[in-house]
């Protein structure tokens, strides 16, 4: 893009050289015309040599020759020499009207190409003060925004973009990706989270398959405590075919659970590559299935978790007993090795044996629970089961 702009400028300059040459002294005018002829024959090096040999004494002649040299050096691929010559021409203040403006614009763009950002800025700002009728001031402000961006001057980036978008001579380009990317970068650096949301929405419209825009949008929505919007964003991203990362899938599952849709949360966890091998993932999924009252799926998930850590046999046993699988529940309780759950395990066995009508074993476990940690529940079972035993005998 930069090469195209400078190339256009060089053509504009060339078209006016013959007309401008008549203002030169006769000797320099003849040399300039010769250089132009060589340039038109694609003999750029020879044209440069003709101009480089000149030593104009008149200020205007010197500025004019340096301007032409700048154009030729650029066409010859020597941007550093082009910057040097154009700087001499611009700083002389001998050039006037549109040609002076175009020359300074070319210099500013070349400095930007050379990454000499701080040097380019004063020229760009000077150019905005007097803009020829055929030129676009909005485009200048866009270059200024780009330059401030490279210098990490974020507030000035947004200020320049605002000027770019609201200038009377230049309409905002809503579909300009580069403009939106500049704006977003500055907004994120300044932590202008709310302002960044419409910018990201515009980028998503332009590039719906770009995962980064969706990811940044959902992240900002979470930062702003907008879980509903974040959930909607991630759902839309998936529908668009965006592959969510591991962390994003976990967040999506959490958001489903918070919205009161734990079964969807559990299904999302199953999308994780580690859902069969990662204990944390399996436990989270089991929790979601249990919250969704999908008891069989919850039992299966807790059993997977228990293979990594036998403490989870406690959850397996509770659900098995709840669902009437008493024998299976008792086997699972035997695998619970957590000392702190000794009384809870004994009480759970009490309930299971009671349901199996094995009152003696139920009473044994009720007493064991009370011996370990005396409680009203254990004492209640002891009293109740003792009465039943007397009645049966």
């Amino acid at each position: 893009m930069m090469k195209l702009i400078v190339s256009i400028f060089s053509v504009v300059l060339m078209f006016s050289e013959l007309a401008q040459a008549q203002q030169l002294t006769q000797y320099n005018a003849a040399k300039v015309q010769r250089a132009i002829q060589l340039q038109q024959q694609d003999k750029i090096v020879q044209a440069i040599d003709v101009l480089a040999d000149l030593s104009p004494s008149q200020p205007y002649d010197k500025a004019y020759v340096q301007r032409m040299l700048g154009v030729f050096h650029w066409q010859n691929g020597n941007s550093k020499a082009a910057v040097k010559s154009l700087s001499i021409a611009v700083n002389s203040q001998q050039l006037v009207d549109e040609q002076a403006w175009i020359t300074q614009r070319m210099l500013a763009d070349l400095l930007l190409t050379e990454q000499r950002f701080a040097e380019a800025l004063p020229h760009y700002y000077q150019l905005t003060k007097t803009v020829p009728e055929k030129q676009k001031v909005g485009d200048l402000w866009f270059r200024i925004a780009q330059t401030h961006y490279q210098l990490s001057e974020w507030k000035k980036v947004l200020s320049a973009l605002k000027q770019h978008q609201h200038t009377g001579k230049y309409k905002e380009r809503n579909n300009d990706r580069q403009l939106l990317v500049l704006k977003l970068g500055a907004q994120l650096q300044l932590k202008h989270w709310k302002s960044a949301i419409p910018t990201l929405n515009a980028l998503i419209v332009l590039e719906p398959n770009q995962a980064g825009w969706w990811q940044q949008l959902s992240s900002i929505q979470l930062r702003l405590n907008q879980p509903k919007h974040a959930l909607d964003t991630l759902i839309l991203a998936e529908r668009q075919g965006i592959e969510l990362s591991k962390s994003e899938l976990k967040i999506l599952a959490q958001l489903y659970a918070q919205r009161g849709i734990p079964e969807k949360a559990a299904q999302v966890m199953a999308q994780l590559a580690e859902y069969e091998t990662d204990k944390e993932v399996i436990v989270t999924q089991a929790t979601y299935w249990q919250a969704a009252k999908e008891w069989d799926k919850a039992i299966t998930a807790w059993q997977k978790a228990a293979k990594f850590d036998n403490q989870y046999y406690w959850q397996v046993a509770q659900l098995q007993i709840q669902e009437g699988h008493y024998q299976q529940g008792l086997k699972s309780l035997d695998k619970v090795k957590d000392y702190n759950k000794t009384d809870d395990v004994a009480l759970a066995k009490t309930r299971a044996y009671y349901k199996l009508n094995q009152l003696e074993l139920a009473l044994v476990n009720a007493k064991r629970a009370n011996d370990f940690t005396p409680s009203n529940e254990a004492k209640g079972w002891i009293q109740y089961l003792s009465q039943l035993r007397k009645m049966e005998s």
Side-chain angles (χ1 to χ4, degrees):
M1 181 63 181
M2 188 68 70
K3 288 185 178 181
L4 175 61
I5 290 173
V6 178
S7 178
I8 291 172
F9 286 158
S10 66
V11 171
V12 172
L13 287 170
M14 286 297 101
F15 271 115
S16 64
E17 293 304 339
L18 289 173
Q20 294 289 328
Q22 64 186 1
Q23 300 179 29
L24 301 172
T25 59
Q26 186 175 358
Y27 177 79
N28 290 329
K31 290 292 185 180
V32 165
Q33 289 179 356
R34 176 57 181 158
I36 292 173
Q37 290 173 356
L38 290 168
Q39 184 268 345
Q40 291 174 342
Q41 296 170 12
D42 292 329
K43 297 178 180 180
I44 299 297
V45 175
Q46 293 92 323
I48 291 173
D49 291 339
V50 169
L51 295 178
D53 287 339
L54 294 177
S55 300
S57 58
Q58 297 297 320
Y60 176 79
D61 287 28
K62 182 177 181 180
Y64 184 86
V65 169
Q66 289 299 322
R67 179 179 68 178
M68 286 193 66
L69 273 172
V71 174
F72 290 163
H73 280 309
W74 169 256
Q75 292 178 334
N76 195 40
N78 191 343
S79 59
K80 291 187 183 300
V83 167
K84 182 178 179 180
S85 293
L86 290 173
S87 296
I88 293 172
V90 170
N91 293 335
S92 72
Q93 298 185 345
Q94 294 297 311
L95 305 177
V96 295
D97 302 328
E98 186 171 5
Q99 289 306 305
W101 193 94
I102 292 173
T103 304
Q104 189 167 23
R105 173 63 193 273
M106 185 176 180
L107 173 59
D109 286 341
L110 282 172
L111 287 168
L112 186 57
T113 302
E114 289 290 297
Q115 299 186 2
R116 294 160 66 175
F117 307 117
E119 295 176 63
L121 272 174
H123 292 293
Y124 280 126
Y125 277 111
Q126 181 63 35
L127 289 164
T128 64
K129 294 179 181 178
T130 306
V131 183
E133 185 177 351
K134 296 180 182 180
Q135 304 300 326
K136 294 178 178 179
V137 67
D139 188 52
L140 279 179
W141 283 111
F142 186 67
R143 293 292 174 193
I144 291 171
Q146 287 180 309
T147 310
H148 281 304
Y149 190 94
Q150 294 296 334
L151 294 170
S152 301
E153 296 172 346
W154 311 118
K155 289 184 179 180
K156 292 181 179 180
V157 171
L158 295 179
S159 177
L161 287 177
K162 186 175 181 180
Q163 291 284 352
H164 167 74
Q165 294 172 355
H166 293 94
T167 178
K169 294 185 179 180
Y170 200 79
K171 294 181 180 179
E172 178 179 0
R173 296 175 291 181
N174 290 320
N175 63 342
D176 192 329
R177 177 189 183 279
Q178 198 173 9
L179 183 152
L180 292 169
V181 170
L182 283 179
K183 181 186 288 187
L184 176 65
Q187 288 169 333
L188 295 180
Q189 290 292 335
L190 293 169
K191 300 182 180 181
H192 292 178
W193 310 122
K194 290 183 179 180
S195 300
I197 288 178
T199 306
L200 280 164
N201 282 327
L203 281 166
I204 286 172
V205 171
L206 280 178
E207 299 179 335
N209 295 321
Q210 176 58 255
W213 307 141
W214 295 96
Q215 292 163 353
Q216 287 182 313
L217 179 57
S218 62
S219 176
I220 289 174
Q221 289 166 333
L222 288 172
R223 184 185 291 272
L224 293 175
N225 194 27
Q226 298 176 354
K228 181 180 183 299
H229 294 311
L231 175 59
D232 293 340
T233 295
L234 291 173
I235 292 173
L236 288 173
E238 276 205 313
R239 289 177 182 173
Q240 183 61 36
I242 301 298
E243 184 176 350
L244 301 184
S245 67
K246 177 180 177 180
S247 61
E248 288 165 342
L249 285 171
K250 288 183 176 181
I251 290 172
L252 177 59
Q254 291 172 2
L255 291 172
Y256 268 127
Q258 291 173 13
R259 185 79 73 86
I261 318 175
E263 64 273 18
K264 290 292 294 183
Q267 291 168 6
V268 169
M269 295 301 290
Q271 296 180 43
L272 291 166
E274 305 89 343
Y275 91 100
E276 291 282 4
T277 58
D278 187 301
K279 183 182 74 172
E280 179 186 345
V281 171
I282 295 170
V283 168
T284 303
Q285 186 189 42
T287 302
Y288 290 149
W289 281 130
Q290 189 164 336
K293 298 183 180 180
E294 295 280 356
W295 309 121
D296 290 343
K297 292 178 180 178
I299 289 171
T300 299
W302 283 122
Q303 284 174 328
K304 290 179 183 177
K307 292 178 181 179
F308 293 91
D309 189 337
N310 58 29
Q311 68 169 312
Y312 296 113
Y313 279 114
W314 171 243
Q315 283 85 350
V316 175
Q318 284 184 302
L319 291 177
Q320 287 172 331
I321 292 171
Q322 172 188 299
E323 293 302 291
H325 308 312
Y326 305 117
Q327 292 290 1
Q328 294 176 8
L330 287 167
K331 290 179 180 179
S332 296
L333 287 171
D334 286 337
K335 296 177 181 179
V336 178
K337 304 302 180 183
D338 188 348
Y339 177 79
N340 293 323
K341 288 192 176 298
T342 300
D343 54 334
D344 293 327
V345 169
L347 285 171
K349 286 185 175 182
T350 299
R351 289 189 291 273
Y353 281 124
Y354 170 73
K355 290 293 186 179
L356 291 169
N357 200 33
Q358 297 182 31
L359 301 183
E360 286 295 331
L361 289 174
L363 182 58
V364 167
N365 278 281
K367 290 179 178 179
R368 182 179 298 166
N370 194 61
D371 289 341
F372 188 82
T373 304
S375 66
N376 291 332
E377 182 180 3
K379 292 174 181 177
W381 272 112
I382 293 171
Q383 183 178 3
Y384 176 65
L385 291 169
S386 297
Q387 291 175 347
L388 284 179
R389 189 174 61 174
K390 289 180 181 179
M391 290 174 61
E392 287 186 356
S393 62

